[in-house]
Amino acid sequence: VLMAVHFAMSANVSYTWDWKRDAGTRAMVDDLAAVINAERPPGSRVVLGVEPGYSAAAAFYTQKCRTATIEMDTIPSPRAVDFLYVDERNAGTLNVIKRYPLASSVLARPDRPR
């Protein structure tokens, strides 16, 4: 009985400790698609720069996205990126669009020189 109670109290079906950094990636791609569709004409392509720790899950979810065309590059990227998905500690002067506290990450726009 004690084992069953312990399991019920500690079971986690949302994410595991190993994949905690990926917990916000699906929501981030959905949020990015909404931003793209609100701000850009249909068929627009954007480049999403992603930190290496988030790249595997981001590549998966950007490929599955059917509502926007998102090309993903691991940063540093050889081409200009339109949006960034980075650890919140590395957000610095970026223009943060949304935070994902569980994964400690942010979706942001690069800080462009004015």
Side-chain angles (χ1 to χ4, degrees), residues 34-54:
V35 169
I36 294 166
N37 291 327
E39 295 179 355
R40 300 180 185 227
S44 296
R45 293 180 171 271
V46 299
V47 178
L48 171 66
V50 178
E51 284 186 346
Y54 301 108

Side-chain angles (χ1 to χ4, degrees), residues 19-76:
W19 299 320
K20 185 176 181 180
R21 289 179 56 90
D22 297 335
T25 309
R26 182 177 183 179
M28 178 277 299
V29 171
D30 291 343
D31 293 339
L32 177 56
V35 169
I36 294 166
N37 291 327
E39 295 179 355
R40 300 180 185 227
S44 296
R45 293 180 171 271
V46 299
V47 178
L48 171 66
V50 178
E51 284 186 346
Y54 301 108
S55 64
F60 175 78
Y61 287 115
T62 56
Q63 290 297 312
K64 291 187 65 84
C65 182
R66 300 288 176 238
T67 59
T69 304
I70 304 168
E71 296 178 12
M72 191 213 82
D73 274 358
T74 302
I75 54 176

Side-chain angles (χ1 to χ4, degrees), residues 69-113:
T69 304
I70 304 168
E71 296 178 12
M72 191 213 82
D73 274 358
T74 302
I75 54 176
S77 174
R79 56 185 176 161
V81 296
D82 301 299
F83 297 92
L84 290 162
Y85 185 54
V86 298
D87 189 290
E88 66 184 346
R89 294 174 297 184
N90 300 329
T93 61
L94 299 176
N95 179 7
V96 174
I97 298 170
K98 185 151 185 197
R99 296 184 186 282
Y100 303 93
L102 187 60
S104 299
S105 58
V106 297
L107 173 63
R109 295 178 199 277
D111 186 28
R112 303 266 189 230

